[in-house]
Amino acid sequence: MSAKNETGHWRDVLLTALTPMIWGSTYIVTTQLLPPDRPFIAALLRVLPAGLLLVWMGGWRPRGAEWGRMLILSALNIGAFQALLFVAAYRLPGGLAAVVGACQPLLVMALAWRLDSRRPAALALWASLIGVAGMAALLLSPGSRWDGLGMLAAFGGAVAMACGTYLTRRWQLPAPVTALTGWQLTLGGLMLLPLALAVDPPLPSLGWAQVAGYAYLGLFGALLAYLLWFRGIARLSPVAVSSLGLLSPLTAVVLGWALLGQALSAQSLLGMAVVLASVLAVQWSGAAPARSGRG
């Protein structure tokens, strides 16, 4: 890989990494600013207004068979993922849910191997396995509750996001990233609408802090974050993109320590270092084929 291409690769990695880092702030915003016990309303207000805005800006709409693929991607990346994520969050400790979610890079490797006959690079495979171990060291505690339905929801969410990431890259719909993001957020938001109406209690009167929290989740947690995420999927390998998702719980831990005074043990710091090393190794592995191919 030439120096120019290598610089471009790492710039794409850094921009894409902003997405899970923004998502890592969701927990602190939700718990500190938003009304409690309204997870599906929070997910709906996070994605639907941002999606409608991007659809209006994008100037593109699916045609013919593209509608089917767009609906599948919207369900996997937004609708099913968000719903299962919140089920897991309510039934499992956040640490256990994050450890289950850390298997996403391995799931993407399995999809590429099964459907495209692409064997995973040894470095990426071992780094992803080590990343799961590092996440467990960072977040698991001896008293973690192993709720069966919560575990299924967490694993289902990981499968949905892995499949969505893989298929978004494989299908490569002929849409600008603005429109691609907008349609997925809009359709995924419409899928969440019945859950929000049926499950969550109505919103109370909102103060400025609550309005600011919802605005942050919509503008940064959905509009900006998903634009960068789908841009990254178009430019990086699905395995590299899914590996960056491990930065989300790391960011949540750092923000909890910095803003809420939550303690960090020596084991947590070791786990954090292991996860960061795992993410970097997977990104390096993604750059290696192009590097070696250029001689």
Side-chain angles (χ1 to χ4, degrees):
M1 180 184 289
S2 68
K4 181 178 179 180
N5 288 339
E6 186 161 2
T7 300
H9 169 81
W10 288 106
R11 181 173 62 248
D12 291 335
V13 168
L14 290 173
L15 286 173
T16 309
L18 290 175
T19 292
M21 293 173 70
I22 293 171
W23 288 342
S25 67
T26 298
Y27 173 78
I28 197 167
V29 171
T30 301
T31 57
Q32 301 301 309
L33 297 179
L34 300 188
D37 302 325
R38 291 167 175 84
F40 296 114
I41 288 178
L44 175 68
L45 294 179
R46 178 185 185 181
V47 301
L48 187 55
L52 292 171
L53 177 60
L54 289 175
V55 166
W56 176 71
M57 293 171 57
W60 178 90
R61 65 180 178 86
R63 300 179 184 276
E66 293 170 353
W67 276 108
R69 291 187 170 184
M70 185 64 77
L71 285 168
I72 292 172
L73 294 179
S74 302
L76 292 171
N77 287 322
I78 311 296
F81 173 70
Q82 291 286 339
L84 291 168
L85 177 70
F86 280 113
V87 171
Y90 265 69
R91 302 187 67 96
L92 292 177
L96 183 53
V99 172
V100 176
C103 69
Q104 283 185 39
L106 297 169
L107 294 172
V108 173
M109 290 181 204
L111 286 169
W113 194 358
R114 177 67 180 84
L115 299 179
D116 294 336
S117 300
R118 291 205 311 265
R119 292 176 63 90
L123 176 59
L125 177 60
W126 283 107
S128 297
L129 289 169
I130 292 171
V132 176
M135 195 68 72
L138 172 64
L139 296 172
L140 285 189
S141 63
S144 297
R145 295 178 292 107
W146 296 78
D147 178 85
L149 182 58
M151 292 289 290
L152 286 175
F155 184 70
V159 170
M161 194 64 169
C163 291
T165 300
Y166 172 78
L167 290 175
T168 300
R169 177 60 184 266
R170 189 181 195 198
W171 286 342
Q172 294 186 336
L173 294 177
V177 68
T178 302
L180 178 69
T181 304
W183 278 105
Q184 290 192 62
L185 290 174
T186 298
L187 295 173
L190 292 174
M191 295 172 192
L192 290 168
L193 181 60
L195 279 173
L197 294 176
V199 176
D200 288 355
L203 282 174
S205 178
L206 299 179
W208 286 109
Q210 288 81 24
V211 172
Y214 283 122
Y216 173 83
L217 291 181
L219 293 174
F220 292 92
L223 191 151
L224 175 61
Y226 274 107
L227 277 174
L228 292 174
W229 189 249
F230 290 124
R231 176 189 180 278
I233 290 175
R235 295 165 181 254
L236 303 170
S237 76
V239 173
V241 173
S242 60
S243 171
L244 292 172
L246 301 187
L247 297 176
S248 181
L250 260 67
T251 303
V253 169
V254 171
L255 289 175
W257 168 77
L259 300 179
L260 301 179
Q262 296 173 349
L264 278 177
S265 65
Q267 177 178 311
S268 297
L269 292 173
L270 175 61
M272 189 179 299
V274 169
V275 172
L276 285 173
S278 164
V279 171
L280 285 173
V282 172
Q283 304 312 310
W284 184 265
S285 174
R291 184 183 298 111
S292 61
R294 297 291 181 97

PDB file of all heavy atoms in Angstrom, residues 151-163:
ATOM      1  N   MET A 151     -29.780 -12.988  27.348  1.00  0.00           N
ATOM      2  CA  MET A 151     -28.647 -13.477  26.567  1.00  0.00           C
ATOM      3  C   MET A 151     -29.035 -13.688  25.105  1.00  0.00           C
ATOM      4  O   MET A 151     -28.282 -13.338  24.193  1.00  0.00           O
ATOM      5  CB  MET A 151     -28.125 -14.782  27.168  1.00  0.00           C
ATOM      6  CG  MET A 151     -27.477 -14.622  28.530  1.00  0.00           C
ATOM      7  SD  MET A 151     -25.875 -13.784  28.443  1.00  0.00           S
ATOM      8  CE  MET A 151     -24.886 -15.054  27.634  1.00  0.00           C
ATOM      9  N   LEU A 152     -30.238 -14.264  24.876  1.00  0.00           N
ATOM     10  CA  LEU A 152     -30.696 -14.464  23.499  1.00  0.00           C
ATOM     11  C   LEU A 152     -30.872 -13.133  22.782  1.00  0.00           C
ATOM     12  O   LEU A 152     -30.528 -13.002  21.603  1.00  0.00           O
ATOM     13  CB  LEU A 152     -32.013 -15.243  23.504  1.00  0.00           C
ATOM     14  CG  LEU A 152     -31.925 -16.734  23.814  1.00  0.00           C
ATOM     15  CD1 LEU A 152     -33.326 -17.337  23.912  1.00  0.00           C
ATOM     16  CD2 LEU A 152     -31.118 -17.462  22.733  1.00  0.00           C
ATOM     17  N   ALA A 153     -31.422 -12.131  23.501  1.00  0.00           N
ATOM     18  CA  ALA A 153     -31.617 -10.821  22.889  1.00  0.00           C
ATOM     19  C   ALA A 153     -30.274 -10.182  22.556  1.00  0.00           C
ATOM     20  O   ALA A 153     -30.101  -9.597  21.480  1.00  0.00           O
ATOM     21  CB  ALA A 153     -32.418  -9.921  23.825  1.00  0.00           C
ATOM     22  N   ALA A 154     -29.300 -10.270  23.467  1.00  0.00           N
ATOM     23  CA  ALA A 154     -27.980  -9.688  23.211  1.00  0.00           C
ATOM     24  C   ALA A 154     -27.308 -10.365  22.020  1.00  0.00           C
ATOM     25  O   ALA A 154     -26.721  -9.690  21.151  1.00  0.00           O
ATOM     26  CB  ALA A 154     -27.104  -9.811  24.453  1.00  0.00           C
ATOM     27  N   PHE A 155     -27.403 -11.693  21.966  1.00  0.00           N
ATOM     28  CA  PHE A 155     -26.799 -12.406  20.845  1.00  0.00           C
ATOM     29  C   PHE A 155     -27.546 -12.104  19.550  1.00  0.00           C
ATOM     30  O   PHE A 155     -26.932 -11.922  18.485  1.00  0.00           O
ATOM     31  CB  PHE A 155     -26.792 -13.907  21.103  1.00  0.00           C
ATOM     32  CG  PHE A 155     -26.093 -14.706  20.036  1.00  0.00           C
ATOM     33  CD1 PHE A 155     -24.720 -14.631  19.882  1.00  0.00           C
ATOM     34  CD2 PHE A 155     -26.811 -15.510  19.177  1.00  0.00           C
ATOM     35  CE1 PHE A 155     -24.073 -15.346  18.891  1.00  0.00           C
ATOM     36  CE2 PHE A 155     -26.173 -16.238  18.181  1.00  0.00           C
ATOM     37  CZ  PHE A 155     -24.803 -16.160  18.040  1.00  0.00           C
ATOM     38  N   GLY A 156     -28.887 -12.027  19.630  1.00  0.00           N
ATOM     39  CA  GLY A 156     -29.667 -11.683  18.441  1.00  0.00           C
ATOM     40  C   GLY A 156     -29.322 -10.304  17.919  1.00  0.00           C
ATOM     41  O   GLY A 156     -29.242 -10.085  16.705  1.00  0.00           O
ATOM     42  N   GLY A 157     -29.100  -9.349  18.830  1.00  0.00           N
ATOM     43  CA  GLY A 157     -28.690  -8.013  18.407  1.00  0.00           C
ATOM     44  C   GLY A 157     -27.336  -8.026  17.727  1.00  0.00           C
ATOM     45  O   GLY A 157     -27.120  -7.333  16.720  1.00  0.00           O
ATOM     46  N   ALA A 158     -26.408  -8.827  18.261  1.00  0.00           N
ATOM     47  CA  ALA A 158     -25.086  -8.939  17.637  1.00  0.00           C
ATOM     48  C   ALA A 158     -25.190  -9.561  16.248  1.00  0.00           C
ATOM     49  O   ALA A 158     -24.517  -9.112  15.301  1.00  0.00           O
ATOM     50  CB  ALA A 158     -24.165  -9.764  18.528  1.00  0.00           C
ATOM     51  N   VAL A 159     -26.035 -10.581  16.118  1.00  0.00           N
ATOM     52  CA  VAL A 159     -26.226 -11.217  14.807  1.00  0.00           C
ATOM     53  C   VAL A 159     -26.840 -10.231  13.819  1.00  0.00           C
ATOM     54  O   VAL A 159     -26.415 -10.133  12.659  1.00  0.00           O
ATOM     55  CB  VAL A 159     -27.110 -12.473  14.943  1.00  0.00           C
ATOM     56  CG1 VAL A 159     -27.508 -13.004  13.568  1.00  0.00           C
ATOM     57  CG2 VAL A 159     -26.380 -13.555  15.733  1.00  0.00           C
ATOM     58  N   ALA A 160     -27.849  -9.472  14.271  1.00  0.00           N
ATOM     59  CA  ALA A 160     -28.500  -8.507  13.385  1.00  0.00           C
ATOM     60  C   ALA A 160     -27.508  -7.462  12.888  1.00  0.00           C
ATOM     61  O   ALA A 160     -27.451  -7.159  11.682  1.00  0.00           O
ATOM     62  CB  ALA A 160     -29.664  -7.829  14.114  1.00  0.00           C
ATOM     63  N   MET A 161     -26.712  -6.911  13.791  1.00  0.00           N
ATOM     64  CA  MET A 161     -25.757  -5.875  13.390  1.00  0.00           C
ATOM     65  C   MET A 161     -24.659  -6.450  12.500  1.00  0.00           C
ATOM     66  O   MET A 161     -24.227  -5.806  11.535  1.00  0.00           O
ATOM     67  CB  MET A 161     -25.142  -5.238  14.634  1.00  0.00           C
ATOM     68  CG  MET A 161     -24.402  -3.943  14.360  1.00  0.00           C
ATOM     69  SD  MET A 161     -25.501  -2.649  13.761  1.00  0.00           S
ATOM     70  CE  MET A 161     -24.438  -1.223  13.852  1.00  0.00           C
ATOM     71  N   ALA A 162     -24.199  -7.670  12.805  1.00  0.00           N
ATOM     72  CA  ALA A 162     -23.177  -8.294  11.969  1.00  0.00           C
ATOM     73  C   ALA A 162     -23.713  -8.541  10.554  1.00  0.00           C
ATOM     74  O   ALA A 162     -23.034  -8.235   9.563  1.00  0.00           O
ATOM     75  CB  ALA A 162     -22.715  -9.609  12.602  1.00  0.00           C
ATOM     76  N   CYS A 163     -24.920  -9.074  10.450  1.00  0.00           N
ATOM     77  CA  CYS A 163     -25.513  -9.330   9.133  1.00  0.00           C
ATOM     78  C   CYS A 163     -25.758  -8.014   8.394  1.00  0.00           C
ATOM     79  O   CYS A 163     -25.527  -7.919   7.182  1.00  0.00           O
ATOM     80  CB  CYS A 163     -26.831 -10.098   9.280  1.00  0.00           C
ATOM     81  SG  CYS A 163     -26.652 -11.798   9.856  1.00  0.00           S
TER      82      CYS A 163
END
